């Protein structure tokens, strides 16, 4: 029998299997856009550099502007110098990688452009490059339906069948409410099977977000505490220092609720609270997430008034730099009531979480950019040390730090050395960086690889996106026609509006702000 050195933590490591990736072609619709240059090409470049892409592959950029293969590659190269996570870009690697990239000029509404694309794909060797096709729709959602229909009509998108696969990757915003998300889903699935649709939420590409399930279901000591029996409440914070900047036009239509809470935050919440899945299959995990989302208590006009706070930043100072107010940002209406901050108190009406408040908050122009899940445990009975400190003993907490300073912190009380009986909170930290070294792939690298491999675990299923919109709609419909109140504005560079403090104070709670690690 092999002996395992239990003192060596790496001895028990479950090394992830390399993904099996078939030769394929990747077509990026909207290839002249920001996403291609900033995220997609840098991600493909790194996957290529790390030998994770299939042995044979092609990337075809499809867009309206007139470009040659050479000018398209030159543009991408220039952008890569700026957006690559590793610098400098390696010339030799780029040259080889760029040989796989070509350009196809065309209008999304023009059938003949798809026929031209089809001819380009048909010229690729080996045959898998013509049959295994990943279509990345980096285009406006209003164009999804037409693109998918044209792909179908020109024979590039076929029903799932042996001998090849075609997949469609779409980005957020995925609708702006339940009705529009539903309509979008119908358009996509008119010509594609749900199993061919990969909806991206880039938070699921983050290692720390994936680790939530691993942490919960590979450690018996914490999962036992993971319920109303031990948990007092949970705080999920996704704070951002930056302002809306050049995205004012988009943000006016979105706001923090649609931009962050509907997707990233509800995803984090569902991973942190769902029941154990029956297996690690994509559908098993997604089933549990949907169940969880459906157990969130729907909002009523009364509960929105009591449990949800909007906010908007006015001029202030962020990290020593002056910041204009949201209403003064470019492409923002001067009397805009769009929320740049939202805080909500949710309840999950199931056996495990009944009665436990979940506080979610996110905002722009806050003092620190940090995402974390903080599990706040119940206080000890007010006897012994708690009584000796007038009930002021800090309850234990466990913080999953999603970014930055990725890691986990357990906070508990320790005796202050000396003859007096005094206690104060002390911390136990796990840091990814010191444990595993700097391993910082971009979320997109992971997600693109999963889409090529056909593993849908890290993508959002139709019923999931719709369940999330249902929650958000039940809140948003109560905001219509109601301007922000004075208590809902906050100075840029502060932790949000006073109303958000009051939201927690109702139950005797306080926000635990993320702390920079010393
Ligand atoms: C995007 C939002 O989905 O996520 C942005 O549209 C936000 O407004 C961003 O800034 C945050 O992502 P991350 O990975 O920087 O936390």
């Amino acid at each position: 029998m092999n002996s395992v050195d239990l003192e060596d933590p790496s001895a028990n490591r479950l090394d992830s299997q390399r993904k099996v990736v078939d030769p394929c072609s990747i077509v990026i619709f909207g290839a002249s856009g920001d996403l291609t240059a900033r995220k997609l090409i840098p991600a493909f470049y790194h996957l290529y550099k790390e030998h994770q892409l299939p042995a044979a592959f092609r990337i075809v950029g499809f867009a309206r502007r007139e470009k040659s293969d050479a000018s398209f590659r030159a543009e991408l190269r220039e952008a890569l110098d700026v957006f690559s996570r590793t610098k400098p870009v390696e010339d030799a690697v780029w040259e080889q990688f760029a040989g796989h990239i070509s350009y196809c000029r065309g209008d999304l509404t023009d059938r003949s452009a798809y026929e031209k694309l089809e001819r380009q794909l048909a010229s690729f060797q080996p045959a898998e490059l013509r049959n295994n096709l990943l279509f990345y729709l980096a285009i406006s959602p209003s164009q999804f339906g037409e693109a998918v229909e044209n792909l179908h009509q020109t024979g590039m998108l076929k029903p799932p069948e042996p001998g090849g696969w075609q997949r469609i990757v779409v980005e957020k915003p995925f609708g702006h409410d339940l009705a529009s998300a539903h309509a979008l889903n119908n358009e996509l699935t008119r010509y594609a099977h749900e199993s061919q649709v990969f909806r991206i939420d880039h938070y699921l590409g983050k290692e720390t977000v994936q680790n939530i399930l691993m942490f919960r279901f590979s450690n018996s000591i914490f999962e036992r505490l993971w319920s109303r029996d031990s948990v007092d409440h949970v705080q999920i914070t996704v704070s951002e220092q930056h302002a809306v900047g050049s995205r004012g036009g988009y943000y006016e239509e979105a706001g923090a609720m649609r931009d962050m809470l509907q997707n990233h935050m509800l995803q984090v919440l569902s991973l942190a609270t769902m029941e154990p899945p029956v297996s690690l299959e994509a559908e098993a995990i997604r089933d549990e997430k949907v169940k969880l989302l459906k157990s969130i208590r729907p909002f009523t006009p009364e509960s929105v008034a009591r449990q949800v706070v909007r906010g908007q930043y006015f001029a202030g100072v962020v990290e020593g730099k002056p910041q204009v107010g949201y209403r003064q940002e470019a492409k923002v209406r001067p009397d805009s009531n769009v929320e740049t901050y939202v805080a909500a108190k949710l309840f999950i009406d199931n056996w495990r979480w009944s009665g436990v408040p979940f506080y979610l908050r996110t905002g722009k122009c806050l003092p620190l950019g940090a995402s974390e899940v903080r599990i706040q445990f119940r206080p000890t009975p007010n006897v012994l040390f708690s009584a000796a400190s007038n009930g002021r003993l800090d309850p234990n907490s466990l913080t999953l730090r999603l970014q930055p300073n990725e890691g986990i912190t357990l906070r508990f009380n320790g005796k202050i050395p000396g003859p007096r009986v005094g206690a104060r909170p002390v911390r136990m930290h796990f840091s990814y960086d010191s444990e595993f070294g700097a391993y910082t792939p971009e979320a997109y690298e992971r997600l693109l690889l999963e889409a090529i491999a056909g593993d849908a675990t890290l993508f959002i299923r139709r019923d999931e996106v719709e369940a999330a919109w249902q929650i958000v709609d039940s809140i948003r419909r109560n905001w219509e026609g109601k301007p922000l109140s004075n208590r809902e504005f906050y100075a840029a560079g502060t932790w949000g509006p006073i109303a958000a403090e009051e939201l927690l104070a109702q139950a005797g709670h306080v926000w635990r702000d993320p702390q920079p690690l010393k």
Side-chain angles (χ1 to χ4, degrees):
M1 208 170 94
N2 288 337
S3 69
V4 175
D5 177 4
L6 293 177
E7 292 307 310
D8 171 6
S10 64
N12 279 335
R13 194 171 54 206
L14 270 171
D15 270 322
S16 67
Q17 302 291 316
R18 262 189 176 252
K19 290 273 165 189
V20 178
V21 282
D22 304 323
C24 63
S25 295
I26 298 136
V27 181
I28 306 175
F29 287 97
S32 300
D34 218 31
L35 186 75
T36 308
R38 267 174 183 272
K39 296 287 184 192
L40 303 183
I41 293 299
F44 281 125
Y45 162 77
H46 283 102
L47 289 172
Y48 180 75
K49 190 165 141 193
E50 285 153 20
H51 309 287
Q52 305 213 50
L53 287 180
F57 74 95
R58 298 294 302 243
I59 298 176
V60 182
F62 181 104
R64 232 178 10 204
R65 290 189 208 150
E66 191 63 63
K67 279 175 208 175
S68 63
D69 289 349
S71 65
F72 182 50
R73 290 176 192 157
E75 270 174 29
L76 296 177
R77 172 60 214 251
E78 220 174 280
L80 189 61
D81 281 333
V82 181
F83 299 115
S84 172
R85 72 172 161 87
T86 56
K87 305 243 170 79
V89 172
E90 289 177 37
D91 283 323
V93 177
W94 168 259
E95 283 310 320
Q96 277 182 5
F97 171 64
H100 297 253
I101 303 178
S102 55
Y103 187 72
C104 180
R105 199 199 87 81
D107 192 315
L108 284 166
T109 59
D110 174 10
R111 173 73 50 85
S112 68
Y114 294 82
E115 287 160 358
K116 188 164 85 180
L117 173 67
E118 204 275 325
R119 286 195 296 278
Q120 189 174 130
L121 296 176
S123 70
F124 293 163
Q125 295 285 359
E128 284 121 307
L129 300 190
R130 310 195 287 271
N131 300 327
N132 296 337
L133 304 173
L134 187 80
F135 300 108
Y136 201 110
L137 305 190
I139 53 180
S140 152
S142 60
Q143 299 168 305
F144 287 176
E146 188 157 29
V148 170
E149 179 174 353
N150 276 310
L151 287 171
H152 167 77
Q153 302 291 6
T154 49
M156 288 184 278
L157 174 63
K158 302 185 201 94
E161 58 187 31
W165 51 256
Q166 294 89 45
R167 298 181 188 131
I168 293 174
V169 183
V170 293
E171 277 284 330
K172 73 179 253 271
F174 198 84
H176 52 90
D177 57 11
L178 175 59
S180 55
H182 189 75
L184 215 48
N185 277 327
N186 284 349
E187 286 196 13
L188 284 174
T189 52
R190 189 167 305 142
Y191 298 105
H193 188 265
E194 171 62 24
S195 64
Q196 295 174 295
V197 181
F198 288 66
R199 297 175 193 79
I200 286 207
D201 182 316
H202 80 276
Y203 262 57
L204 296 187
K206 294 181 193 271
E207 280 291 331
T208 46
V209 174
Q210 291 161 26
N211 189 45
I212 297 175
L213 285 193
M214 177 70 87
F215 175 77
R216 289 186 53 198
F217 301 125
S218 68
N219 297 298
S220 62
I221 52 176
F222 297 110
E223 187 55 22
R224 266 162 219 221
L225 303 176
W226 224 256
S227 76
R228 65 179 193 284
D229 294 335
S230 310
V231 175
D232 182 72
H233 70 277
V234 175
Q235 300 188 7
I236 303 183
T237 299
V238 175
S239 62
E240 298 187 292
Q241 258 185 340
H242 55 80
V244 295
S246 58
R247 297 169 77 220
Y250 155 76
Y251 209 78
E252 278 286 276
E253 300 305 316
M257 183 65 117
R258 289 184 172 125
D259 186 46
M260 300 293 285
L261 196 135
Q262 188 273 341
N263 35 69
H264 310 324
M265 297 195 76
L266 288 181
Q267 282 299 318
V268 169
L269 173 71
S270 52
L271 291 169
T273 53
M274 63 184 240
E275 292 302 311
V278 292
S279 75
L280 291 177
E281 295 293 312
E283 298 321 325
I285 294 179
R286 301 197 297 179
D287 284 347
E288 291 306 331
K289 286 202 286 169
V290 171
K291 258 166 63 188
L292 188 284
L293 290 171
K294 289 188 171 165
S295 326
I296 294 177
R297 188 183 302 165
F299 281 88
T300 60
E302 297 71 41
S303 63
V304 171
R306 249 191 351 264
Q307 292 172 216
V308 188
V309 168
R310 293 177 284 172
Q312 190 188 87
Y313 61 86
F314 55 85
V317 177
V318 184
E319 269 228 301
K321 293 194 204 89
Q323 167 64 46
V324 297
Y326 177 68
R327 289 177 174 180
Q328 285 80 53
E329 300 274 14
K331 301 198 192 132
V332 168
R333 287 184 293 270
D335 58 351
S336 173
N337 277 306
V338 166
E339 76 289 356
T340 59
Y341 175 101
V342 66
K345 178 180 183 177
L346 310 176
F347 288 97
I348 298 173
D349 285 335
N350 65 14
W351 191 265
R352 184 190 285 260
W353 294 118
S354 179
V356 177
F358 288 82
Y359 298 108
L360 274 55
R361 65 172 165 170
T362 182
K364 304 253 183 234
C365 286
L366 301 186
L368 197 72
S371 301
E372 59 182 46
V373 179
R374 183 175 174 123
I375 315 289
Q376 198 69 41
F377 293 101
R378 287 184 185 279
T380 54
N382 201 14
V383 292
L384 299 182
F385 300 118
S386 182
S389 36
N390 294 327
R392 282 201 304 268
L393 260 193
D394 210 45
N396 300 150
S397 69
L398 181 81
T399 304
L400 310 181
R401 295 192 312 279
L402 307 180
Q403 62 185 30
N405 304 321
E406 289 78 0
I408 297 175
T409 299
L410 181 66
R411 198 172 139 111
F412 52 98
N413 293 302
K415 181 180 177 308
I416 303 171
R420 277 190 331 132
V421 181
R424 76 160 168 78
V426 295
R427 278 173 253 171
M428 226 154 85
H429 289 304
F430 147 64
S431 140
Y432 275 79
D433 221 24
S434 34
E435 191 70 24
F436 297 116
Y439 172 70
T440 49
E442 277 274 328
Y444 274 90
E445 292 171 34
R446 181 69 198 275
L447 294 175
L448 290 170
L449 197 60
E450 299 290 317
I452 294 174
D455 186 337
T457 313
L458 301 182
F459 298 85
I460 315 293
R461 206 166 63 185
R462 174 180 189 149
D463 48 355
E464 215 175 333
V465 81
E466 294 187 4
W469 274 121
Q470 200 148 5
I471 300 161
V472 164
D473 280 5
S474 72
I475 298 176
R476 284 194 50 86
R477 79 171 68 95
N478 292 287
W479 289 350
E480 273 155 29
K482 287 195 196 127
L484 292 164
S485 71
N486 282 345
R487 307 182 79 66
E488 291 180 314
F489 284 91
Y490 62 102
T494 64
W495 276 110
I498 186 91
E501 305 298 327
E502 294 165 355
L503 174 71
L504 270 69
Q506 294 165 9
H509 297 142
V510 285
W511 287 113
R512 304 296 188 122
D513 300 331
Q515 301 294 320
L517 267 200
K518 285 168 207 107

